[in-house]
Amino acid sequence: MKISTGMAVLCGAILVTVPTGAAGQQTLAEKLGYDAGAKLLIVHADDIGVARSVNVATARAFEHGAITSGSVMVPCPWFPDFAAFYRDHGPFDVGIHLTLTAEWDYYKWGGISPAGEIASLLDEYGHFYATVEEVAQHADPAEAEREMRAQIERAIALGIRPTHLDTHMGSVMARPELMQIYVRLGKEYGLPVLLPSRGWSENLPQGMRDDLAAGLPLLDGLYMMLAHDPSKSWSEAYGEMIAAIGPGLNQLIVHLAVDDTEMQAVTVNHPDFGSAWRQKDLDFVMSQEFKDLLAAHDIRLVSWDQVRKAM
Amino acid sequence: MKISTGMAVLCGAILVTVPTGAAGQQTLAEKLGYDAGAKLLIVHADDIGVARSVNVATARAFEHGAITSGSVMVPCPWFPDFAAFYRDHGPFDVGIHLTLTAEWDYYKWGGISPAGEIASLLDEYGHFYATVEEVAQHADPAEAEREMRAQIERAIALGIRPTHLDTHMGSVMARPELMQIYVRLGKEYGLPVLLPSRGWSENLPQGMRDDLAAGLPLLDGLYMMLAHDPSKSWSEAYGEMIAAIGPGLNQLIVHLAVDDTEMQAVTVNHPDFGSAWRQKDLDFVMSQEFKDLLAAHDIRLVSWDQVRKAM
């Protein structure tokens, strides 16, 4: 996932709030059997289905217990391959990575709805736009809703029982109307949606934020490698993120792939979130060092499905 | 390419006719500067664009001079990647592998036309049907023409100067109306179309064959590995095919790929035309043995572009 500017402030940043239930109310941590102030963490693999390489890496991480959740890009060429893996070896904790963009140079996809019904989402070649800015500029909300709904329904039709909704590159955060659809779809399907406790609502009309957030488990912290400082090792950079995780519900987004010829070509010209980058993420989540760091900081791993059930 | 039953008789089979120009007319071989009875051979890589693995293998074969031609599957995920390679390193002798099917289990594509305009070509998920039989059963000819034309136009828009038309899995041979569109598009764009001198017209209405064939350079022989007899080595099997090549215009269709995790997953459950199969084809066309066999049998390599110019 690359993140829209509107969401970038949240990622890799430290959001510390102290989750307190209203008087007489349990915190999420308590509902899940932990102390009120426990540090809960979802370790989440983004972009499942975008490439075979990503599916291989994510399958390995799920089977190794290295991640607790992930989300699928339904319009991408390798989604049916992951769905087959899920049916044969799952279920796994998988949400829908609602996708309205196709960001790579030479490897593209469009929506799964008929192009004539989502014309405002597509470029001249019938592909999604590459950037969130273009989505914000062109998207007709009714068409975006049609496509988002189609992605959820397609995943269900192919045997996936989604545990949550989130958003590829944060594109549904691009406009208040899209944000409303995103949250409404989550509530309609009884699914939590990825929504941080702050950093996403500055541009929303007064009052809309509270309406949207009502009843949803907001993330107290959202962590992701955004750009890598070459003076630090990969695990040092993650070590700092993990040390910063506070009480409440947190998510660490990782981007897993095998660094191979396919993934190198998918991500050509994009070293950030590129093929080697994603292999480093895979190596890190599979490492003993990652497990040790989580244990040292007293972090409890949870899944979106646990959050969903506690809603 | 997998071939429809209607075309299967041609492949791997030996078609020997003696090409003779009408009185005072040059044969194709003579037009190309060879003896009237020369054995001309197009070495043709199918399925370009279907996967990154295929693009890597085909690029290698083009740059090595191991093939003289190939054709691209415009609706496939990796077509834009090949188009970029063609723009940067080409031109190469590339035709349009008109595609109306998506035959693999978990790796799918649909048309590039809006789904609402080619509904008769698509399954419930918006993908092409897997088999030629389904195309024959469902395809509306006007919709098939719209999609075939769109594929040619898209390739041109992305910088490719096509040298010929051919057909993925022989799907345009599935019905006389589709065959007519195929040939008509070739004539309209001034492109030769893959059409053997016999074996394709048995089911056509009387007279249609001659109308279709008029002015087109028909193939005197079309050769392809269809199923591999395990008692023979790969090169023995090709050796027999090459020994059988007769005078006139011939084509050897090969299926090139690197045997990697991507291609193994694309072709899962399909050992024929699978990932290892395609790697063997790549190894064979890149070998000195292949060059030696062609020389020993006095075979002249030609491209579709040479044929086009001689039309």
Side-chain angles (χ1 to χ4, degrees):
Chain A
M1 174 162 100
K2 295 192 294 188
I3 288 283
S4 72
T5 45
M7 211 174 152
V9 293
L10 300 167
C11 299
I14 305 163
L15 296 171
V16 181
T17 58
V18 179
T20 48
Q25 249 191 333
Q26 285 186 306
T27 65
L28 177 65
E30 287 173 308
K31 286 184 187 170
L32 298 182
Y34 298 110
D35 290 342
K39 302 176 190 176
L40 310 179
L41 182 66
I42 299 165
V43 183
H44 191 277
D46 272 28
D47 301 353
I48 300 172
V50 71
R52 172 65 181 164
S53 157
V54 169
N55 290 359
V56 169
T58 308
R60 204 179 293 170
F62 267 128
E63 296 200 316
H64 188 75
I67 54 178
T68 62
S69 188
S71 56
V72 290
M73 297 175 71
V74 174
C76 290
W78 287 94
F79 168 65
D81 172 74
F82 182 80
F85 170 76
Y86 179 103
R87 293 193 301 270
D88 291 345
H89 300 277
F92 301 100
D93 193 86
V94 166
I96 312 301
H97 202 48
L98 293 165
T99 300
L100 301 176
T101 47
E103 71 272 34
W104 307 112
D105 286 7
Y106 303 126
Y107 180 75
K108 293 292 184 185
W109 53 84
I112 61 167
S113 313
E117 298 177 15
I118 54 167
S120 68
L121 305 180
L122 305 178
D123 70 12
E124 62 179 310
Y125 295 121
H127 301 138
F128 282 139
Y129 291 108
T131 66
V132 174
E133 288 68 26
E134 288 164 297
V135 175
Q137 186 183 342
H138 298 292
D140 173 81
E143 296 186 354
E145 175 167 355
R146 180 174 299 127
E147 175 61 21
M148 288 155 74
R149 192 180 288 278
Q151 293 179 12
I152 300 167
E153 290 292 334
R154 172 72 57 89
I156 293 170
L158 263 62
I160 287 176
R161 198 194 62 199
T163 60
H164 63 291
L165 302 181
D166 60 18
T167 159
H168 184 56
M169 296 169 63
S171 56
V172 307
M173 312 268 182
R175 290 233 308 270
E177 307 94 302
L178 302 181
M179 187 75 134
Q180 286 178 303
I181 295 163
Y182 170 57
V183 169
R184 181 157 43 76
L185 285 173
K187 291 179 179 173
E188 178 182 329
Y189 282 92
L191 300 175
V193 305
L194 173 67
L195 216 54
S197 58
R198 50 193 165 112
W200 54 276
S201 56
E202 289 73 4
N203 299 322
L204 295 185
Q206 196 74 18
M208 188 189 285
R209 181 197 182 283
D210 292 342
D211 283 352
L212 291 176
L216 288 177
L218 303 187
L219 288 176
D220 298 292
L222 179 59
Y223 300 87
M224 179 168 96
M225 185 84 80
L226 272 178
H228 184 242
D229 173 355
S231 73
K232 290 176 190 162
S233 73
W234 209 253
S235 55
E236 278 168 350
Y238 271 116
E240 290 180 12
M241 264 187 247
I242 291 166
I245 291 173
L249 182 61
N250 299 278
Q251 177 161 311
L252 176 65
I253 295 175
V254 293
H255 295 86
L256 309 183
V258 176
D259 182 16
D260 63 11
T261 178
E262 179 201 22
M263 204 61 200
Q264 287 160 18
V266 168
T267 61
V268 65
N269 304 331
H270 292 255
D272 285 0
F273 302 98
S275 186
W277 171 302
R278 290 169 191 247
Q279 176 78 57
K280 284 188 212 166
D281 265 11
L282 175 61
D283 293 343
F284 179 70
V285 298
M286 299 285 279
S287 70
Q288 185 60 41
E289 186 179 9
F290 181 44
K291 284 194 178 60
D292 293 344
L293 274 166
L294 296 173
H297 290 282
D298 214 21
I299 286 168
R300 313 294 177 181
L301 295 188
V302 296
S303 68
W304 270 111
D305 204 43
Q306 287 177 281
V307 175
R308 183 183 67 80
K309 287 174 178 156
M311 262 168 78
Chain B
M1 174 163 99
K2 295 193 294 186
I3 288 283
S4 72
T5 45
M7 211 172 154
V9 292
L10 300 167
C11 300
I14 305 162
L15 296 172
V16 181
T17 59
V18 179
T20 49
Q25 247 192 332
Q26 285 186 307
T27 64
L28 176 65
E30 287 172 307
K31 287 184 187 170
L32 298 182
Y34 298 110
D35 291 342
K39 302 176 188 176
L40 310 179
L41 182 65
I42 299 165
V43 183
H44 191 278
D46 273 26
D47 300 355
I48 301 172
V50 71
R52 171 65 181 164
S53 157
V54 169
N55 289 0
V56 168
T58 308
R60 205 179 292 171
F62 267 128
E63 297 201 314
H64 188 75
I67 55 178
T68 63
S69 188
S71 56
V72 290
M73 298 176 70
V74 174
C76 290
W78 286 94
F79 168 65
D81 172 74
F82 182 80
F85 170 76
Y86 179 104
R87 293 193 301 271
D88 291 345
H89 301 276
F92 302 99
D93 193 87
V94 166
I96 312 300
H97 201 47
L98 294 164
T99 299
L100 301 176
T101 46
E103 71 272 35
W104 307 111
D105 287 7
Y106 303 125
Y107 180 73
K108 294 291 184 186
W109 53 84
I112 62 166
S113 314
E117 299 177 14
I118 53 166
S120 68
L121 304 180
L122 305 177
D123 71 10
E124 62 179 310
Y125 295 121
H127 301 138
F128 282 140
Y129 291 108
T131 66
V132 174
E133 289 68 26
E134 288 164 295
V135 175
Q137 187 184 342
H138 298 292
D140 172 81
E143 295 186 353
E145 175 168 355
R146 180 174 299 129
E147 175 62 21
M148 288 156 73
R149 192 180 288 277
Q151 292 179 13
I152 299 167
E153 291 293 334
R154 172 73 57 89
I156 293 169
L158 264 61
I160 287 176
R161 197 194 64 199
T163 61
H164 63 291
L165 301 181
D166 61 17
T167 158
H168 185 57
M169 297 168 65
S171 56
V172 306
M173 312 269 183
R175 289 234 307 272
E177 306 95 302
L178 301 182
M179 187 74 134
Q180 286 178 304
I181 295 163
Y182 171 57
V183 170
R184 181 158 43 76
L185 285 174
K187 292 180 178 172
E188 178 183 330
Y189 283 92
L191 299 176
V193 306
L194 173 67
L195 215 55
S197 59
R198 50 194 166 111
W200 55 275
S201 56
E202 290 74 3
N203 300 322
L204 294 186
Q206 196 73 18
M208 187 188 288
R209 181 197 182 284
D210 292 342
D211 283 351
L212 290 177
L216 287 178
L218 303 186
L219 288 176
D220 298 293
L222 179 59
Y223 300 87
M224 179 168 96
M225 185 83 79
L226 272 178
H228 184 240
D229 171 355
S231 74
K232 291 175 190 163
S233 73
W234 209 252
S235 55
E236 278 169 349
Y238 272 115
E240 290 179 12
M241 264 187 247
I242 291 165
I245 290 173
L249 182 61
N250 300 279
Q251 176 160 311
L252 175 64
I253 295 175
V254 293
H255 295 86
L256 308 182
V258 176
D259 182 16
D260 64 11
T261 178
E262 178 201 20
M263 203 61 200
Q264 288 160 16
V266 168
T267 62
V268 66
N269 303 331
H270 292 255
D272 284 0
F273 302 98
S275 186
W277 171 300
R278 289 168 191 248
Q279 176 77 56
K280 283 187 211 167
D281 265 10
L282 175 62
D283 293 343
F284 179 71
V285 299
M286 299 285 279
S287 70
Q288 185 60 41
E289 186 178 9
F290 181 44
K291 284 193 179 60
D292 293 345
L293 274 166
L294 296 173
H297 291 282
D298 215 20
I299 287 168
R300 313 293 177 182
L301 296 188
V302 296
S303 68
W304 271 111
D305 203 43
Q306 288 177 279
V307 174
R308 183 182 68 80
K309 287 173 178 156
M311 262 169 75

